[in-house]
Coordinates of all heavy atoms in Angstrom, one line a residue:
M1058 N 13.8 -6.0 56.7 CA 13.4 -6.9 55.6 C 12.1 -7.5 55.9 O 11.9 -8.0 57.2 CB 14.6 -8.0 55.4 CG 14.3 -8.8 54.3 SD 14.4 -8.1 52.6 CE 16.3 -8.0 52.5
N1059 N 11.1 -7.8 55.1 CA 10.1 -8.6 55.5 C 10.3 -9.9 55.7 O 11.3 -10.5 55.2 CB 9.0 -8.5 54.2 CG 8.4 -7.0 54.1 OD1 8.1 -6.5 55.1 ND2 8.1 -6.6 52.9
P1060 N 9.4 -10.7 56.5 CA 9.6 -12.1 56.8 C 9.4 -12.8 55.4 O 9.5 -12.3 54.3 CB 8.4 -12.4 57.7 CG 7.4 -11.2 57.5 CD 8.2 -10.1 57.1
A1061 N 9.2 -14.1 55.5 CA 9.1 -14.9 54.3 C 8.3 -14.4 53.2 O 7.2 -14.0 53.5 CB 8.6 -16.4 54.9
P1062 N 8.7 -14.6 52.1 CA 7.9 -13.9 50.9 C 6.6 -14.7 50.8 O 6.6 -15.9 51.1 CB 8.9 -14.1 49.8 CG 9.8 -15.1 50.1 CD 9.9 -15.0 51.5
D1063 N 5.6 -13.9 50.3 CA 4.3 -14.5 49.9 C 3.8 -14.0 48.6 O 2.9 -13.3 48.6 CB 3.3 -14.4 51.1 CG 3.2 -13.0 51.5 OD1 4.0 -12.2 51.0 OD2 2.2 -12.7 52.2
P1064 N 4.5 -14.5 47.6 CA 4.3 -13.9 46.3 C 2.7 -14.1 45.7 O 2.3 -13.3 44.9 CB 5.3 -14.6 45.3 CG 5.6 -15.8 46.1 CD 5.4 -15.6 47.5
L1065 N 2.1 -15.1 46.2 CA 0.9 -15.4 45.7 C -0.2 -15.3 46.8 O 0.0 -15.9 47.8 CB 0.8 -16.8 45.1 CG 1.7 -17.1 44.0 CD1 1.7 -18.5 43.5 CD2 1.2 -16.2 42.7
P1066 N -1.3 -14.6 46.5 CA -2.4 -14.6 47.5 C -3.0 -15.9 47.8 O -2.9 -16.8 46.9 CB -3.4 -13.6 46.9 CG -3.1 -13.6 45.5 CD -1.6 -14.0 45.1
D1067 N -3.6 -16.1 48.9 CA -4.4 -17.3 49.3 C -5.7 -17.3 48.5 O -6.6 -16.5 48.8 CB -4.6 -17.2 50.8 CG -5.4 -18.5 51.3 OD1 -5.9 -19.3 50.4 OD2 -5.6 -18.5 52.4
Q1068 N -5.7 -18.2 47.6 CA -6.8 -18.2 46.7 C -8.3 -18.7 47.4 O -9.3 -18.4 47.0 CB -6.8 -19.3 45.7 CG -5.5 -19.0 44.8 CD -5.8 -17.7 44.0 OE1 -6.8 -17.3 43.5 NE2 -4.8 -16.8 43.9
T1069 N -8.0 -19.0 48.7 CA -9.2 -19.3 49.5 C -9.7 -18.1 50.4 O -10.6 -18.2 51.2 CB -9.1 -20.6 50.5 OG1 -8.0 -20.3 51.3 CG2 -8.7 -21.8 49.7
S1070 N -8.8 -17.1 50.4 CA -9.1 -15.9 51.3 C -10.3 -15.2 50.9 O -10.6 -15.0 49.7 CB -8.0 -15.0 51.3 OG -8.3 -13.8 51.9
P1071 N -11.1 -14.7 51.8 CA -12.3 -13.9 51.6 C -11.8 -12.5 50.9 O -12.8 -11.9 50.3 CB -13.0 -13.6 52.9 CG -12.0 -14.0 53.9 CD -11.0 -14.9 53.3
C1072 N -10.6 -12.1 51.0 CA -10.2 -10.9 50.5 C -10.3 -10.9 48.9 O -10.3 -10.0 48.3 CB -8.7 -10.7 50.9 SG -8.4 -10.6 52.7
Q1073 N -10.2 -12.2 48.3 CA -10.3 -12.3 46.8 C -11.5 -11.7 46.3 O -11.7 -11.3 45.2 CB -10.2 -13.7 46.4 CG -8.8 -14.3 46.7 CD -7.5 -13.7 46.0 OE1 -7.7 -13.6 44.8 NE2 -6.7 -13.0 46.8
A1074 N -12.6 -11.7 47.2 CA -14.0 -11.3 46.7 C -14.3 -9.9 47.5 O -15.4 -9.6 47.6 CB -15.0 -12.3 46.9
C1075 N -13.3 -9.2 48.0 CA -13.6 -8.2 48.8 C -12.7 -6.9 48.3 O -13.2 -6.1 47.3 CB -13.3 -8.3 50.3 SG -13.5 -6.9 51.3
G1076 N -11.6 -6.7 48.9 CA -10.7 -5.6 48.5 C -11.2 -4.2 49.1 O -10.6 -3.3 48.8
A1077 N -12.1 -4.2 50.1 CA -12.7 -3.0 50.7 C -11.4 -2.2 51.4 O -11.4 -0.9 51.2 CB -13.7 -3.3 51.8
C1078 N -10.6 -2.8 52.1 CA -9.5 -2.1 52.8 C -8.5 -1.4 51.8 O -7.9 -0.5 52.2 CB -8.7 -3.0 53.7 SG -7.9 -4.4 53.1
C1079 N -8.5 -1.9 50.6 CA -7.6 -1.2 49.5 C -8.4 0.0 48.8 O -7.7 0.6 48.0 CB -7.3 -2.3 48.5 SG -6.8 -3.9 49.2
E1080 N -9.7 0.2 49.0 CA -10.4 1.3 48.4 C -11.2 2.0 49.5 O -12.4 2.2 49.4 CB -11.2 0.7 47.3 CG -11.8 1.9 46.5 CD -12.6 1.4 45.4 OE1 -12.2 0.4 44.6 OE2 -13.8 1.9 45.1
T1081 N -10.5 2.4 50.6 CA -11.3 3.0 51.7 C -10.7 4.5 52.1 O -11.5 5.3 52.4 CB -11.3 2.1 52.8 OG1 -12.1 1.0 52.5 CG2 -12.0 2.8 54.2
D1082 N -9.5 4.5 52.1 CA -8.8 5.8 52.5 C -7.5 5.9 51.9 O -6.7 5.0 52.0 CB -8.7 5.7 54.1 CG -8.3 6.9 54.7 OD1 -7.5 7.7 54.1 OD2 -8.5 7.1 55.9
A1083 N -7.2 7.0 51.3 CA -5.9 7.2 50.6 C -4.9 7.2 51.5 O -3.6 6.9 51.1 CB -6.0 8.4 49.7
S1084 N -5.1 7.5 52.8 CA -4.0 7.5 53.8 C -3.7 6.0 54.4 O -2.8 5.9 55.2 CB -4.2 8.4 55.0 OG -5.3 7.9 55.7
W1085 N -4.5 5.2 54.0 CA -4.4 3.8 54.5 C -3.1 3.1 54.2 O -2.4 2.6 55.1 CB -5.6 2.9 54.2 CG -5.4 1.5 54.2 CD1 -5.3 0.6 53.2 CD2 -5.4 0.6 55.4 NE1 -5.2 -0.6 53.5 CE2 -5.2 -0.6 54.9 CE3 -5.5 0.9 56.7 CZ2 -5.1 -1.7 55.7 CZ3 -5.4 -0.1 57.6 CH2 -5.2 -1.5 57.2
P1086 N -2.9 2.9 52.8 CA -1.7 2.0 52.5 C -0.3 2.8 52.6 O 0.4 3.0 51.6 CB -2.0 1.6 51.0 CG -2.9 2.8 50.5 CD -3.5 3.3 51.6
R1087 N 0.0 3.2 53.8 CA 1.3 4.0 54.1 C 2.4 3.1 54.4 O 2.1 1.9 54.9 CB 0.9 4.9 55.3 CG 0.7 4.2 56.5 CD 0.0 5.1 57.6 NE -0.4 4.3 58.8 CZ -1.4 3.6 58.9 NH1 -2.3 3.5 57.8 NH2 -1.6 3.0 60.1
F1088 N 3.5 3.6 54.3 CA 4.7 2.9 54.6 C 5.0 3.1 56.0 O 4.8 4.2 56.5 CB 5.9 3.2 53.6 CG 5.7 2.9 52.3 CD1 6.3 3.8 51.2 CD2 4.8 1.9 51.7 CE1 6.0 3.6 49.9 CE2 4.6 1.7 50.4 CZ 5.2 2.5 49.5
S1089 N 5.6 2.1 56.7 CA 6.0 2.4 58.1 C 7.4 1.8 58.3 O 8.5 2.5 58.2 CB 5.1 1.6 59.0 OG 4.8 0.3 58.6
L1090 N 7.6 0.4 58.6 CA 8.9 0.0 58.9 C 9.4 -0.8 57.8 O 10.5 -1.7 58.0 CB 8.8 -0.9 60.3 CG 8.5 0.1 61.5 CD1 8.3 -0.8 62.7 CD2 9.3 1.1 61.7
E1091 N 8.9 -0.8 56.7 CA 9.5 -1.7 55.5 C 10.9 -1.3 55.2 O 11.3 -0.1 55.4 CB 8.6 -1.4 54.3 CG 7.1 -1.8 54.4 CD 6.4 -0.8 55.1 OE1 6.8 0.2 55.4 OE2 5.0 -1.1 55.2
H1092 N 11.6 -2.3 54.7 CA 13.0 -2.0 54.5 C 13.1 -1.3 53.1 O 12.3 -1.5 52.2 CB 13.8 -3.4 54.3 CG 15.2 -3.3 54.3 ND1 15.9 -2.8 53.1 CD2 16.3 -3.3 55.2 CE1 17.2 -2.7 53.4 NE2 17.3 -3.2 54.7
D1093 N 13.9 -0.3 53.0 CA 14.1 0.4 51.8 C 14.3 -0.3 50.4 O 13.8 -0.1 49.5 CB 15.2 1.5 51.9 CG 14.9 2.6 52.8 OD1 13.7 2.8 53.2 OD2 15.8 3.3 53.1
D1094 N 15.0 -1.5 50.7 CA 15.3 -2.4 49.5 C 14.0 -3.0 49.0 O 13.8 -3.2 47.8 CB 16.2 -3.5 49.9 CG 17.7 -2.9 50.2 OD1 17.9 -1.9 49.9 OD2 18.5 -3.8 50.7
D1095 N 13.0 -3.3 50.0 CA 11.7 -3.9 49.6 C 11.0 -2.8 48.9 O 10.2 -3.0 47.8 CB 11.0 -4.4 50.8 CG 11.8 -5.6 51.3 OD1 12.4 -6.4 50.6 OD2 11.7 -5.7 52.6
L1096 N 10.8 -1.6 49.5 CA 10.2 -0.5 48.9 C 10.6 -0.1 47.4 O 9.7 0.2 46.5 CB 10.1 0.7 49.7 CG 9.5 0.6 51.1 CD1 9.5 1.9 51.8 CD2 8.1 0.1 51.0
A1097 N 11.8 -0.3 47.2 CA 12.4 -0.1 46.0 C 11.8 -0.9 44.9 O 12.1 -0.5 43.6 CB 13.9 0.0 46.1
L1098 N 11.5 -2.0 45.2 CA 10.9 -3.1 44.1 C 9.4 -2.7 43.8 O 9.0 -3.3 42.7 CB 11.0 -4.4 44.8 CG 12.3 -4.9 45.1 CD1 12.3 -6.3 46.0 CD2 13.2 -5.0 43.9
I1099 N 8.7 -1.8 44.5 CA 7.6 -1.4 44.0 C 7.5 -0.5 42.9 O 8.3 0.4 42.9 CB 6.8 -0.7 45.3 CG1 6.6 -1.8 46.5 CG2 5.3 -0.2 44.8 CD1 6.0 -1.1 47.6
P1100 N 6.9 -0.8 41.7 CA 6.9 0.2 40.7 C 6.7 1.7 41.1 O 5.6 2.0 41.8 CB 5.8 -0.3 39.7 CG 5.6 -1.8 40.0 CD 5.9 -1.8 41.5
P1101 N 7.5 2.5 40.6 CA 7.4 3.9 41.2 C 6.1 4.6 40.9 O 5.6 5.5 41.7 CB 8.6 4.6 40.6 CG 9.1 3.7 39.4 CD 8.7 2.2 39.8
Q1102 N 5.4 4.2 39.9 CA 4.1 4.7 39.5 C 3.0 4.5 40.5 O 1.9 5.0 40.5 CB 3.7 4.5 38.1 CG 3.4 3.0 37.7 CD 4.7 2.2 37.4 OE1 5.7 2.5 37.7 NE2 4.4 1.0 36.8
L1103 N 3.3 3.4 41.4 CA 2.3 3.1 42.2 C 2.6 3.6 43.6 O 1.9 3.3 44.6 CB 2.3 1.5 42.3 CG 2.0 0.8 41.0 CD1 2.0 -0.8 41.4 CD2 0.6 1.1 40.7
V1104 N 3.7 4.4 43.8 CA 4.1 5.0 45.0 C 3.8 6.5 45.0 O 3.9 7.2 44.0 CB 5.6 4.8 45.3 CG1 6.0 5.5 46.6 CG2 5.9 3.3 45.4
K1105 N 3.3 7.1 46.1 CA 3.0 8.5 46.3 C 4.3 9.2 45.9 O 5.5 8.9 46.2 CB 2.5 8.7 47.7 CG 1.1 8.4 48.1 CD 0.8 9.1 49.4 CE -0.8 9.1 49.7 NZ -1.3 7.7 50.0
A1106 N 4.0 10.5 45.4 CA 5.3 11.3 44.9 C 6.2 11.5 46.2 O 7.4 11.7 46.0 CB 4.7 12.6 44.4
D1107 N 5.5 11.7 47.4 CA 6.5 12.0 48.5 C 7.0 10.7 49.1 O 7.7 10.7 50.2 CB 5.7 12.8 49.6 CG 4.5 12.0 50.3 OD1 4.4 10.9 49.8 OD2 3.8 12.7 51.0
G1108 N 6.6 9.5 48.5 CA 7.3 8.2 49.1 C 6.8 7.8 50.4 O 7.3 6.9 51.0
S1109 N 5.6 8.2 50.8 CA 5.0 7.9 52.1 C 4.2 6.7 52.0 O 3.9 6.2 53.1 CB 4.2 9.1 52.8 OG 3.1 9.5 51.9
G1110 N 3.8 6.3 50.9 CA 2.8 5.1 50.9 C 2.4 4.9 49.4 O 3.1 5.4 48.5
M1111 N 1.5 4.0 49.2 CA 1.0 3.6 48.0 C 0.2 4.8 47.3 O -0.5 5.5 48.1 CB 0.1 2.5 48.1 CG 0.8 1.2 48.5 SD 2.3 0.6 47.5 CE 1.3 0.3 46.0
A1112 N 0.4 5.1 46.1 CA -0.4 6.1 45.5 C -1.9 5.6 45.4 O -2.1 4.3 45.2 CB 0.2 6.3 44.0
C1113 N -2.7 6.6 45.2 CA -4.3 6.3 45.2 C -4.9 7.2 44.1 O -4.4 8.2 43.8 CB -4.9 6.5 46.6 SG -4.3 5.3 47.9
E1114 N -5.9 6.7 43.7 CA -6.9 7.5 42.9 C -8.2 7.5 43.7 O -9.0 6.6 43.8 CB -7.1 6.8 41.6 CG -5.9 6.7 40.5 CD -6.2 6.0 39.2 OE1 -7.3 5.5 39.2 OE2 -5.3 6.1 38.5
G1115 N -8.4 8.8 44.2 CA -9.4 8.9 45.3 C -9.0 8.1 46.3 O -7.9 8.2 46.9
D1116 N -9.8 7.2 46.8 CA -9.6 6.3 48.0 C -8.9 5.0 47.5 O -8.8 4.1 48.5 CB -10.9 6.1 48.8 CG -11.2 7.3 49.6 OD1 -10.3 8.1 50.1 OD2 -12.4 7.6 49.9
R1117 N -8.8 4.8 46.3 CA -8.5 3.5 45.9 C -6.9 3.4 45.5 O -6.4 4.0 44.8 CB -9.2 3.1 44.5 CG -8.9 1.8 43.9 CD -9.6 1.8 42.5 NE -9.2 0.5 41.9 CZ -9.8 -0.6 41.8 NH1 -11.0 -0.7 42.4 NH2 -9.4 -1.7 41.1
C1118 N -6.3 2.5 46.2 CA -4.8 2.2 45.9 C -4.7 1.8 44.5 O -5.4 1.0 43.9 CB -4.5 1.0 46.9 SG -2.7 0.6 46.6
K1119 N -3.7 2.3 43.9 CA -3.4 2.2 42.5 C -3.0 0.7 42.3 O -2.9 0.2 41.1 CB -2.3 3.0 42.0 CG -2.9 4.5 41.7 CD -1.9 5.4 40.9 CE -2.4 6.6 40.5 NZ -1.5 7.5 39.8
A1120 N -2.5 0.0 43.3 CA -2.2 -1.4 43.1 C -3.3 -2.5 43.1 O -3.0 -3.6 42.7 CB -1.1 -1.8 44.2
L1121 N -4.5 -1.9 43.4 CA -5.5 -2.8 43.4 C -6.2 -3.1 41.9 O -6.3 -2.1 41.2 CB -6.7 -2.2 44.2 CG -8.0 -3.1 44.5 CD1 -7.6 -4.4 45.2 CD2 -9.1 -2.2 45.1
S1122 N -6.4 -4.3 41.6 CA -7.1 -4.6 40.4 C -8.5 -5.3 40.8 O -8.6 -5.7 41.8 CB -6.2 -5.6 39.5 OG -6.2 -6.9 40.1
G1123 N -9.3 -5.0 39.7 CA -10.6 -5.7 40.0 C -11.7 -4.8 40.4 O -11.4 -3.5 40.7
K1124 N -12.8 -5.3 40.9 CA -13.9 -4.5 41.5 C -14.2 -4.9 42.9 O -14.3 -6.1 43.3 CB -15.1 -4.8 40.7 CG -16.3 -4.0 41.1 CD -17.7 -4.2 40.2 CE -18.8 -3.5 40.7 NZ -20.0 -4.1 40.2
V1125 N -14.2 -3.9 43.8 CA -14.5 -4.1 45.2 C -15.8 -4.9 45.5 O -16.7 -4.5 44.9 CB -14.3 -2.9 46.1 CG1 -14.8 -3.0 47.5 CG2 -12.9 -2.4 46.0
G1126 N -15.7 -5.8 46.2 CA -17.0 -6.7 46.5 C -17.3 -7.6 45.5 O -18.3 -8.3 45.7
D1127 N -16.5 -7.8 44.5 CA -16.8 -8.8 43.4 C -15.5 -9.8 43.4 O -15.4 -10.8 43.9 CB -17.0 -8.0 42.2 CG -17.3 -9.0 41.0 OD1 -17.4 -10.2 41.3 OD2 -17.4 -8.5 39.9
M1128 N -14.5 -9.2 42.7 CA -13.2 -9.9 42.7 C -12.0 -8.9 42.6 O -12.0 -8.0 41.6 CB -13.2 -10.9 41.3 CG -12.0 -11.7 41.3 SD -12.0 -12.7 39.7 CE -13.4 -13.8 40.0
T1129 N -11.1 -9.1 43.4 CA -10.0 -8.1 43.5 C -8.7 -8.9 43.7 O -8.7 -10.0 44.0 CB -10.1 -7.1 44.6 OG1 -10.3 -7.9 45.9 CG2 -11.4 -6.3 44.4
A1130 N -7.7 -8.1 43.4 CA -6.3 -8.6 43.7 C -5.5 -7.4 43.9 O -5.5 -6.4 43.4 CB -5.8 -9.5 42.6
C1131 N -4.4 -7.6 44.8 CA -3.3 -6.8 44.9 C -2.2 -7.1 43.8 O -1.6 -8.2 43.8 CB -2.7 -6.9 46.3 SG -1.2 -5.8 46.5
T1132 N -1.9 -6.2 43.0 CA -0.9 -6.5 41.9 C 0.6 -6.5 42.4 O 1.4 -6.8 41.6 CB -1.1 -5.5 40.8 OG1 -0.8 -4.1 41.3 CG2 -2.6 -5.5 40.2
I1133 N 0.7 -6.0 43.7 CA 2.0 -6.2 44.3 C 2.0 -7.1 45.5 O 2.6 -6.6 46.4 CB 2.7 -4.7 44.5 CG1 1.8 -3.9 45.6 CG2 2.8 -4.0 43.2 CD1 2.5 -3.0 46.4
Y1134 N 1.2 -8.0 45.5 CA 1.0 -8.8 46.7 C 2.2 -9.1 47.6 O 2.2 -8.9 48.7 CB 0.1 -10.1 46.4 CG -0.3 -10.8 47.6 CD1 -1.3 -10.2 48.3 CD2 0.3 -11.9 47.9 CE1 -1.8 -11.0 49.4 CE2 -0.2 -12.6 49.2 CZ -1.2 -12.1 49.8 OH -1.8 -12.8 50.9
G1135 N 3.2 -9.6 47.0 CA 4.3 -10.0 47.6 C 5.2 -8.9 48.3 O 6.1 -9.0 49.0
L1136 N 5.0 -7.7 47.7 CA 5.6 -6.6 48.1 C 4.7 -5.5 48.9 O 5.1 -4.4 49.3 CB 6.1 -5.6 46.9 CG 7.1 -6.4 45.9 CD1 7.3 -5.7 44.6 CD2 8.4 -6.6 46.7
R1137 N 3.4 -5.8 49.2 CA 2.5 -4.9 49.9 C 3.0 -4.4 51.2 O 3.8 -5.2 51.9 CB 1.2 -5.5 50.0 CG 1.0 -6.7 51.0 CD -0.1 -7.5 50.7 NE -0.4 -8.5 51.7 CZ 0.3 -9.7 51.9 NH1 1.3 -10.0 51.2 NH2 -0.1 -10.5 52.9
P1138 N 2.7 -3.2 51.5 CA 3.2 -2.6 52.9 C 2.8 -3.5 54.0 O 1.8 -4.2 54.0 CB 2.5 -1.2 52.8 CG 2.1 -1.0 51.5 CD 1.8 -2.2 50.8
D1139 N 3.4 -3.1 55.1 CA 3.1 -3.9 56.4 C 1.7 -3.7 56.8 O 1.0 -4.6 57.4 CB 4.0 -3.4 57.5 CG 5.5 -3.8 57.5 OD1 5.7 -4.7 56.4 OD2 6.3 -3.4 57.9
V1140 N 1.1 -2.4 56.6 CA -0.2 -2.2 57.1 C -1.3 -3.0 56.4 O -2.2 -3.6 57.0 CB -0.5 -0.7 56.9 CG1 -0.8 -0.3 55.4 CG2 -1.8 -0.3 57.6
C1141 N -1.0 -3.4 55.1 CA -1.8 -4.3 54.3 C -1.8 -5.7 54.8 O -2.7 -6.5 55.0 CB -1.4 -4.2 52.9 SG -1.4 -2.5 52.1
R1142 N -0.5 -6.2 55.3 CA -0.3 -7.6 55.8 C -0.9 -7.6 57.1 O -1.5 -8.8 57.5 CB 1.3 -7.7 55.9 CG 2.0 -7.6 54.7 CD 3.5 -7.8 55.0 NE 4.3 -7.5 53.7 CZ 4.5 -8.5 52.8 NH1 4.3 -9.8 53.1 NH2 5.2 -8.2 51.8
A1143 N -1.1 -6.6 57.9 CA -1.5 -6.5 59.3 C -3.1 -6.6 59.2 O -3.8 -7.1 60.3 CB -1.0 -5.4 60.0
C1144 N -3.7 -6.2 58.1 CA -5.2 -6.2 58.0 C -5.7 -7.6 57.8 O -5.5 -8.1 56.6 CB -5.7 -5.1 57.1 SG -7.5 -5.0 57.0
L1145 N -6.5 -8.2 58.6 CA -6.9 -9.5 58.5 C -8.3 -9.6 58.4 O -9.0 -8.9 59.1 CB -6.2 -10.5 59.6 CG -4.7 -10.5 59.7 CD1 -4.3 -11.3 60.9 CD2 -4.1 -11.1 58.4
P1146 N -8.9 -10.5 57.6 CA -10.4 -10.7 57.5 C -11.0 -10.8 58.9 O -10.5 -11.6 59.7 CB -10.6 -11.9 56.7 CG -9.3 -12.1 55.9 CD -8.2 -11.5 56.8
G1147 N -11.9 -10.0 59.3 CA -12.6 -10.0 60.4 C -12.0 -9.2 61.6 O -12.7 -8.9 62.5
D1148 N -10.9 -8.6 61.4 CA -10.4 -7.6 62.5 C -11.0 -6.3 62.4 O -11.8 -6.0 61.4 CB -8.9 -7.7 62.4 CG -8.3 -6.8 61.4 OD1 -9.0 -6.1 60.5 OD2 -7.0 -6.9 61.2
E1149 N -10.7 -5.5 63.3 CA -11.3 -4.1 63.3 C -11.1 -3.3 62.1 O -12.3 -2.7 61.5 CB -10.8 -3.3 64.5 CG -11.6 -2.1 64.8 CD -11.0 -1.2 66.0 OE1 -10.0 -1.8 66.6 OE2 -11.6 -0.1 66.3
A1150 N -10.1 -3.1 61.5 CA -9.8 -2.4 60.4 C -10.5 -3.1 59.2 O -11.0 -2.3 58.3 CB -8.4 -2.4 60.0
C1151 N -10.5 -4.3 59.1 CA -11.2 -5.1 58.1 C -12.8 -4.6 58.1 O -13.4 -4.2 57.2 CB -11.1 -6.4 58.2 SG -12.2 -7.5 57.1
N1152 N -13.4 -4.7 59.3 CA -14.7 -4.5 59.4 C -15.1 -3.1 59.1 O -16.2 -2.7 58.6 CB -15.2 -5.0 61.0 CG -15.3 -6.4 61.1 OD1 -15.5 -7.1 60.2 ND2 -15.0 -6.8 62.3
I1153 N -14.2 -2.1 59.5 CA -14.6 -0.8 59.2 C -14.6 -0.5 57.8 O -15.4 0.2 57.1 CB -13.5 0.2 59.9 CG1 -13.5 0.3 61.5 CG2 -13.5 1.6 59.3 CD1 -12.5 0.9 62.1
A1154 N -13.5 -1.1 57.1 CA -13.5 -0.9 55.6 C -14.6 -1.5 54.9 O -15.3 -1.0 54.0 CB -12.1 -1.6 55.0
R1155 N -15.0 -2.6 55.4 CA -16.2 -3.5 54.7 C -17.4 -2.6 55.1 O -18.4 -2.8 54.1 CB -16.2 -4.9 55.3 CG -15.1 -5.8 54.6 CD -15.1 -7.1 55.3 NE -16.3 -7.9 55.1 CZ -16.7 -8.6 53.9 NH1 -15.8 -8.6 53.0 NH2 -17.7 -9.3 53.8
A1156 N -17.5 -2.1 56.2 CA -18.7 -1.3 56.6 C -18.8 -0.1 55.6 O -19.9 0.3 55.2 CB -18.7 -0.9 58.0
R1157 N -17.7 0.6 55.3 CA -17.7 1.6 54.5 C -18.3 1.3 53.0 O -18.8 2.1 52.3 CB -16.4 2.3 54.3 CG -15.9 3.0 55.7 CD -14.7 3.8 55.4 NE -14.3 4.5 56.8 CZ -13.2 5.1 56.9 NH1 -12.1 5.2 55.9 NH2 -12.9 5.6 58.0
H1158 N -18.1 0.2 52.6 CA -18.6 -0.3 51.5 C -19.9 -1.2 51.4 O -20.3 -1.7 50.5 CB -17.6 -1.3 50.7 CG -16.4 -0.6 50.1 ND1 -16.3 -0.1 48.9 CD2 -15.1 -0.1 50.8 CE1 -15.1 0.6 48.7 NE2 -14.4 0.6 49.8
G1159 N -20.6 -1.1 52.6 CA -21.8 -1.6 52.8 C -21.8 -3.1 52.8 O -22.9 -3.7 52.7
M1160 N -20.6 -3.8 53.2 CA -20.7 -5.2 53.3 C -21.0 -5.8 54.6 O -21.4 -7.0 54.6 CB -19.3 -5.6 52.8 CG -18.9 -5.3 51.4 SD -17.1 -5.7 51.1 CE -16.8 -5.0 49.5
V1161 N -20.8 -4.9 55.6 CA -21.1 -5.5 56.9 C -21.8 -4.2 57.6 O -21.5 -3.1 57.3 CB -20.0 -6.0 57.8 CG1 -19.4 -7.2 57.2 CG2 -18.9 -5.0 57.9
A1162 N -22.5 -4.4 58.7 CA -22.9 -3.3 59.5 C -22.1 -3.4 60.9 O -21.7 -4.4 61.2 CB -24.3 -3.6 60.0
L1163 N -21.7 -2.2 61.3 CA -20.9 -2.0 62.5 C -21.8 -1.9 63.7 O -22.9 -1.4 63.6 CB -20.0 -1.0 62.4 CG -18.9 -1.1 61.5 CD1 -17.9 0.1 61.6 CD2 -18.0 -2.2 61.9
Ligands
SF4_2230 S1 -8.8 -7.7 55.0 FE1 -11.0 -7.5 55.1 S2 -11.5 -5.6 54.1 FE2 -9.4 -6.2 53.4 S3 -9.8 -7.3 51.6 FE3 -9.6 -8.8 53.2 S4 -11.9 -9.1 53.9 FE4 -11.7 -7.2 52.6
SF4_2231 S1 -0.8 -2.4 48.2 FE1 -2.1 -4.0 47.7 S2 -3.0 -4.8 49.7 FE2 -2.1 -2.8 50.0 S3 -3.8 -1.3 49.9 FE3 -2.8 -1.5 47.8 S4 -3.9 -3.1 46.7 FE4 -4.5 -3.4 48.8

């Protein structure tokens, strides 16, 4: 089971104007140690057919709304996979994703 729920994103987070990690690699938003009960709450149309992670269109997670680098939001924020929770602004995965979108230089 996930720790304390966080149904609303932090409105002060730089992620609100980014979203790069959500549109970088279709293999990124995979499931790992999430509880089956939590995964069952994600709308099935947003989950890969094989149940291994979030469904994507190209490299873009289907749960992402908005435009990367402008204004974005995760439409399943409170249910997002652990890998998404673990990616924090300024960490290695974040910088790789942002570099792929030309937002930072590595
Ligand atoms: S974790 Fe980094 S790459 Fe992902 S949305 Fe936030 S700032 Fe962007
Ligand atoms: S589930 Fe949400 S946070 Fe995770 S990649 Fe998709 S849009 Fe981004």
